[in-house]
Amino acid sequence: MPVNRAQRQQLIEIDERLSDDDLADRALVHAMVQAEWYGAQMRRTRRRYVISEAGALFLAGAATVLAALSAPPWITATVAALVAFLAGLRRIVSWHDDWLAASEARAKATAEISQYRLLADAERTAQRRQELVAAIDALVLTETRSWGRRRREKAQPGPAA
């Protein structure tokens, strides 16, 4: 079930507000909030990727049809310019890479949560909770570094034509 932005924000605020006395398993809440954030990010970047790709394909086809129909040159040129704009936008933002990275991070977080949830209540010791939080935090740090590396690579100029 998709969680909207307000619900995600509410989960984050709950995570920040709760103390150990309020909820015995704060580590699980922390992990679930992070996993849900990656899930929401995954859905958002997938939607942007599909829209940009479909838009580029549609507009490229429309430019060809407009030229064949002898449409006014300014209309054909505008549609072709939009295709070029979408190609440049895709090069800058790389929604596909972000979608895949968020999918991987969500899968890893979900796996950590599942392994933790399979533990009996007696096995959910302070040490196990610390391990869960450490695993989730390491995942967030790794993904953040990966995202930064992808952005830096995009910012580097490509080879001259």
Side-chain angles (χ1 to χ4, degrees):
M1 182 170 122
V3 176
N4 66 32
R5 184 176 297 196
Q7 290 170 322
R8 279 193 318 277
Q9 185 60 39
Q10 184 180 17
L11 286 173
I12 292 168
E13 290 170 5
I14 289 169
D15 181 48
E16 292 171 351
R17 259 195 334 260
L18 293 175
S19 69
D20 290 342
D21 294 334
D22 295 329
L23 186 60
D25 207 343
R26 184 168 162 75
L28 183 58
V29 171
H30 172 71
M32 293 177 76
V33 167
Q34 293 301 323
E36 179 51 39
W37 186 87
Y38 282 113
Q41 189 70 11
M42 176 188 71
R43 289 185 295 276
R44 184 174 33 257
T45 54
R46 178 182 178 272
R47 193 170 33 251
R48 290 174 180 170
Y49 169 70
V50 168
I51 288 170
S52 68
E53 291 296 313
L57 288 171
F58 175 77
L59 290 171
T64 304
V65 170
L66 288 170
L69 293 176
S70 300
W74 70 270
I75 293 176
T76 305
T78 300
V79 171
L82 288 172
V83 172
F85 171 77
L86 284 176
L89 183 65
R90 288 190 329 243
R91 168 109 171 87
I92 293 170
V93 294
S94 69
W95 285 315
H96 186 260
D97 294 341
D98 291 348
W99 168 32
L100 295 176
S103 299
E104 289 177 15
R106 181 176 178 264
K108 289 175 188 174
T110 302
E112 291 287 341
I113 291 167
S114 296
Q115 290 173 13
Y116 180 79
R117 284 183 138 174
L118 288 173
L119 296 173
D121 287 341
E123 294 176 310
R124 292 185 185 182
T125 63
Q127 177 65 30
R128 293 287 188 148
R129 287 192 294 272
Q130 288 175 350
E131 289 171 2
L132 175 62
V133 170
I136 295 298
D137 289 348
L139 169 70
V140 170
L141 181 59
T142 300
E143 172 52 29
T144 302
R145 286 178 177 158
S146 174
W147 180 83
R149 187 185 70 255
R150 289 191 308 271
R151 290 297 167 268
R152 285 187 295 277
E153 288 171 359
K154 289 287 181 181
Q156 292 176 356

